[in-house]
Amino acid sequence: MMVGVSIKEEKYGVRVGVIRSIKPMVGNELQIGIEVLSRTAFCVKAKNSSKIEVKVRNIVDSLDNVSANFTKGTANFTCLYVPEEYGISAHQTLIVPRLQYNKNDTFKVNILGTDMHVRFTETLERHENWIRVSYVEDVGSQLVQKLAS
């Protein structure tokens, strides 16, 4: 389970972490082990920029293989950008909602005001409703976008 951990002395600082263990203690207390994923994670806007063609089968109307074009994930969604941080993470990653994840697609993300197209390379962690992935900038799709405009 992903959690936000705040420190009383730091008024605006929240760390993003994952509960790794819960142990019962004497006196009806619990010891909770949390792995910190980032001290400085922040939200970024993202959008799936890959188009797919889907074969739609409508049994009720007795239609066979009606073809329709859909853009998967046309709505923007929010993910967490986890920067490289000394002692915590060796490289930058994204925490993506599981419903939006597709390893083969290209995503447009805006990190600190900079739009870039990225492709997921490795799944580092998978949970019920989110996935942490590494990524690379997809230069090929950016070139196609510039040529098209």
Side-chain angles (χ1 to χ4, degrees):
M1 173 184 290
M2 189 183 321
V3 294
V5 179
S6 63
I7 298 174
K8 190 175 184 178
E9 291 78 27
E10 295 179 21
K11 191 173 184 178
Y12 299 107
V14 175
R15 286 147 172 79
V16 175
V18 177
I19 296 176
R20 297 291 186 203
S21 65
I22 301 175
K23 297 179 184 176
M25 304 295 287
V26 178
N28 206 21
E29 294 183 4
L30 296 175
Q31 178 182 356
I32 300 175
I34 298 174
E35 177 187 358
V36 175
L37 298 178
S38 178
R39 291 182 296 247
T40 58
F42 54 89
C43 294
V44 296
K45 289 184 180 179
K47 181 178 182 176
N48 186 322
S49 55
S50 298
K51 291 191 176 185
I52 59 171
E53 186 172 297
V54 177
K55 298 283 184 184
V56 179
R57 186 175 203 114
N58 188 338
I59 298 171
V60 175
D61 293 334
S62 300
L63 298 175
D64 277 341
N65 295 327
V66 177
S67 212
N69 284 323
F70 291 97
T71 300
K72 185 175 182 180
T74 56
N76 290 338
F77 62 94
T78 302
C79 53
L80 282 177
Y81 171 73
V82 178
E84 179 180 340
E85 293 180 73
Y86 179 76
I88 295 180
S89 57
H91 47 65
Q92 57 193 7
T93 59
L94 289 171
I95 297 175
V96 181
R98 190 177 186 107
L99 292 174
Q100 300 293 341
Y101 174 79
N102 186 352
K103 184 175 180 172
N104 299 320
D105 287 352
T106 302
F107 293 84
K108 180 179 178 182
V109 294
N110 184 301
I111 299 173
L112 294 173
T114 303
D115 284 337
M116 64 177 72
H117 288 82
V118 300
R119 188 172 296 278
F120 301 146
T121 55
E122 182 181 359
T123 300
L124 303 170
E125 201 165 345
R126 187 180 295 264
H127 292 269
E128 185 178 328
N129 56 2
W130 60 272
I131 297 174
R132 186 165 65 104
V133 295
S134 59
Y135 64 90
V136 294
E137 196 166 352
D138 189 5
V139 179
S141 82
Q142 289 182 5
L143 183 60
V144 169
Q145 294 268 341
K146 285 182 181 180
L147 292 174
S149 54

